[in-house]
Amino acid sequence: MSPLRAATVGPRAETLRPPWPFTCREEELNLVRRSLTAGRPGIVVTGPAGCGRSRLAAEAVRGTDCVRVSPTPETRTTPFGAFAPVLPESVTLHRAVRLLSGVRLLFVDDAHLLDDASAALLHHLAVQGRTRLLVTVTDGAAAPAAVTRLRTGEALPRLALAPLPDDATDPLLEAAAGGPLDPLTAHRLRGLCRGDLRLLRDLTAAVHDAGLLARLPETGLWAWRGPVPPAPALRERAAVLARPCPEEREALDRLAFAEPLPLPAATLDLRALERLEADALIEVADDETVRLAHPLHGPMLRATAGRLRARRLSGLRGPLTDALDAEAAALLDAIARDDVRTGRTPVGEWLVAEGAPVPAGYAAVRARFARLRGELREAAAWAREGLSETPGHPACHRELALTAARSGDHSPDDGATEDLDAYDAVRLGAPERAIGLLPPDGVFARHARALARADGAALDRVAAELGERGFLLYAAEAYAQAASAHRDPTAARTARARAAALARRCQGARTQALSGPALGELTARQRQIVTLAASGLTNRQIAERLTLSVRTVGNHLYGAYARLGTADRTALPWLVEQPA
């Protein structure tokens, strides 16, 4: 049976590119590796398409002696097709189970693509328990009944893998693009891919290979403006748009050039729309507007349209000025309601994507909305977009200055407070100045009163509400203030951990409210290891540098996590690099 243990079956064909960095999955990687140790049955890793299940699993078994099986849609029609290279022809299920029972570790990638016989074999191996199994399955994908039972965690422990947070994809984007990207480009790439890391790599590589990246003179970052390149990998993703029905294709093309369109639309065939909706190619919103279901489909349809067709369809788009004014008014209304959770702004983002001029007034509103959400790099980028069109625009200059202050580039002192919002006095630690200036029933006034009383529990409640309303930076600051106000060490650690988790989502925020000692509770060795972990080193790399065992490093980190009140490795850079 030794040839089985070294086999790799059915590798997926991929472009010859270096592998993406393995990032922000350290805890999940350790969990999977622990599940594959002696005496353990293995694990099933599930998650949405493109979330990195296969990459995580491949990293977990790297350097081990295992059999890897990678079924494809082509092998699904053949009994035991996925296992054909390692099993004899005309094998029975009983014999297949017996042959594979001697394998120590079996890695089955994309198990939802297994044929029924292979799925039954996999289920028997899981129930029998002699072979450790690592199985990956895509959420929502059609699968044999035996694989569906495994996906629910019935026979093996299950790890549900969530998509990576936006900030965790920065190293991946840089690796594919060849350098740091400007925030609006990174936002555009993520938005077009909806958390699908494989698509993100294909798209970023296509943009890079087509020479569409250019350095911005203000920041030196790489920026992408213009259409999506119709690279083969992207054309394959958009193959579902090839509709033989002329009415359906016309509806898709009209939406690509002028979405969203209202219903009823005299220019669109209603029956064609019904068929497209049934195939999940379009979505009808509550406001009776129609748009394409996937954000990449519109750009791909525009990129592949002929010049004459594009000219005709572009003429159907209404004036952009009214649409931009409506978007800005909706954002300002959300700010006035103290709720910045969401804001649909397709027209403004389309302007930036196409490299068209962005009106400075609109850009200032977008910058303000992003700043309040804690999206500091995006706020600065929007302000610069406005200033490139109108260099002296005061609102854009103000937003750029406020964003710089929250990023730690400079800090407004008490004498400059009158130039800021009243709420900034609360953030700067002087709530008494703001209590009478803020609406008394609002969340910002409650923050001021809680801080003035040094009421940790009230600050926790305010921080939670701020987070629910989308004010992530303000929520992080309120939690940090609560950590200082709490007398109970456990409550203080919890608040500090929540502050760290939110602060790292705020794109480099470094403010006065977030400053303070975070590592003082740790031992010297824990501080040393936490600092190295925060720099991006893995447990194994730390162990090699400090001449320790990997287990010792893990134990020290576990103790540090307990004292810091966090189990989130990605929060460590914030905890280590707080401003003095």
Side-chain angles (χ1 to χ4, degrees), residues 69-82:
V69 174
S70 296
T72 67
E74 291 73 25
T75 64
R76 196 169 194 172
T77 59
T78 304
F80 299 113

Side-chain angles (χ1 to χ4, degrees), residues 112-167:
H112 52 281
L113 295 177
L114 288 172
D115 59 274
D116 288 338
S118 295
L121 168 59
L122 180 62
H123 191 267
H124 274 277
L125 292 172
V127 173
Q128 178 181 276
R130 297 177 186 173
T131 301
R132 291 192 297 277
L133 299 175
L134 174 55
V135 182
T136 70
V137 189
T138 298
D139 287 345
V147 172
T148 300
R149 290 196 293 272
L150 285 178
R151 182 164 53 191
T152 62
E154 177 183 301
L156 291 174
R158 172 174 172 260
L159 170 62
L161 204 62
L164 283 176
D166 284 351
D167 58 326

Side-chain angles (χ1 to χ4, degrees), residues 553-570:
V553 170
N555 289 339
H556 280 301
L557 276 176
Y558 182 81
Y561 288 150
R563 293 193 179 193
L564 294 173
T566 182
D568 187 352
R569 195 183 188 96
T570 60

Side-chain angles (χ1 to χ4, degrees), residues 67 108 114 160 236 272 303 312 346 404 426 429 450 453 467 539 545 557:
V67 171
V108 181
L114 288 172
E236 183 179 346
R312 175 178 67 83
V426 183
R453 300 194 308 269
N539 289 10
R545 178 170 297 192
L557 276 176

Side-chain angles (χ1 to χ4, degrees), residues 61-121:
V61 300
R62 185 162 58 91
T64 66
D65 189 21
C66 77
V67 171
R68 175 171 178 170
V69 174
S70 296
T72 67
E74 291 73 25
T75 64
R76 196 169 194 172
T77 59
T78 304
F80 299 113
F83 289 89
V86 294
L87 291 175
E89 293 184 9
S90 303
V91 68
T92 64
L93 176 61
H94 176 74
R95 189 180 180 202
V97 171
R98 187 157 49 85
L99 288 172
L100 289 177
S101 294
V103 175
R104 293 182 179 179
L105 175 58
L106 175 63
F107 170 23
V108 181
D109 196 16
D110 288 339
H112 52 281
L113 295 177
L114 288 172
D115 59 274
D116 288 338
S118 295
L121 168 59

Side-chain angles (χ1 to χ4, degrees), residues 274-574:
E274 290 174 355
R275 293 191 294 270
L276 293 172
E277 184 182 25
D279 291 341
L281 292 180
I282 65 170
E283 296 174 344
V284 181
D286 293 339
D287 61 356
E288 293 295 299
T289 58
V290 186
R291 64 177 65 247
L292 295 167
H294 197 285
L296 183 65
H297 288 169
M300 285 303 299
L301 287 169
R302 294 195 296 272
T304 55
R307 184 173 299 179
L308 293 178
R309 188 173 183 83
R311 181 183 300 174
R312 175 178 67 83
L313 294 170
S314 297
L316 301 176
R317 187 187 301 119
L320 296 183
T321 303
D322 293 344
L324 285 176
D325 289 344
E327 286 185 359
L331 295 181
L332 291 173
D333 178 66
I335 293 171
R337 291 185 285 103
D338 296 335
D339 188 342
V340 295
R341 283 174 289 187
T342 57
R344 292 187 70 96
T345 51
V347 178
E349 291 177 9
W350 181 87
L351 283 179
V352 172
E354 296 296 319
V358 179
Y362 174 86
V365 174
R366 289 298 305 268
R368 182 183 177 192
F369 192 81
R371 171 174 58 83
L372 292 174
R373 286 173 50 83
E375 297 165 344
L376 301 185
R377 298 192 189 103
E378 290 184 25
W382 276 109
R384 293 191 192 97
E385 287 288 328
L387 291 173
S388 67
E389 179 69 11
T390 309
H393 196 271
C396 286
H397 276 293
R398 183 174 187 271
E399 289 302 325
L400 201 58
L402 290 173
T403 301
R406 284 153 176 74
S407 301
D409 294 340
H410 63 79
S411 299
D413 55 25
D414 290 346
T417 304
E418 63 269 18
D419 296 327
L420 305 176
D421 297 331
Y423 183 57
D424 284 295
V426 183
R427 301 176 51 253
L428 293 170
E432 300 83 2
R433 300 183 182 182
I435 289 177
L437 302 176
L438 296 167
D441 297 330
V443 64
F444 301 126
R446 292 198 295 278
H447 185 182
R449 292 194 294 269
L451 183 60
R453 300 194 308 269
D455 187 334
L459 285 168
D460 281 338
R461 292 193 294 272
V462 164
E465 183 176 352
L466 287 168
E468 291 171 0
R469 291 173 176 266
F471 296 97
L472 299 189
L473 176 56
Y474 296 163
E477 292 175 329
Y479 274 126
Q481 292 166 339
S484 299
H486 278 299
R487 296 183 179 181
D488 176 25
T490 300
R493 283 195 295 270
T494 301
R496 186 185 299 116
R498 290 172 177 169
L502 289 170
R504 70 176 175 82
R505 296 169 58 188
C506 294
Q507 302 180 351
R510 296 173 65 85
T511 69
Q512 178 176 315
L514 293 176
S515 64
L519 302 183
E521 300 179 5
L522 305 185
T523 66
R525 179 64 88 182
Q526 285 173 337
R527 284 198 300 273
Q528 184 183 33
I529 290 175
V530 164
T531 301
L532 292 174
S535 71
L537 297 185
T538 65
N539 289 10
R540 187 174 299 279
Q541 291 169 327
I542 296 171
E544 292 172 354
R545 178 170 297 192
L546 300 181
T547 320
L548 298 172
S549 71
V550 176
R551 177 171 294 183
T552 298
V553 170
N555 289 339
H556 280 301
L557 276 176
Y558 182 81
Y561 288 150
R563 293 193 179 193
L564 294 173
T566 182
D568 187 352
R569 195 183 188 96
T570 60
L572 294 181
W574 181 85

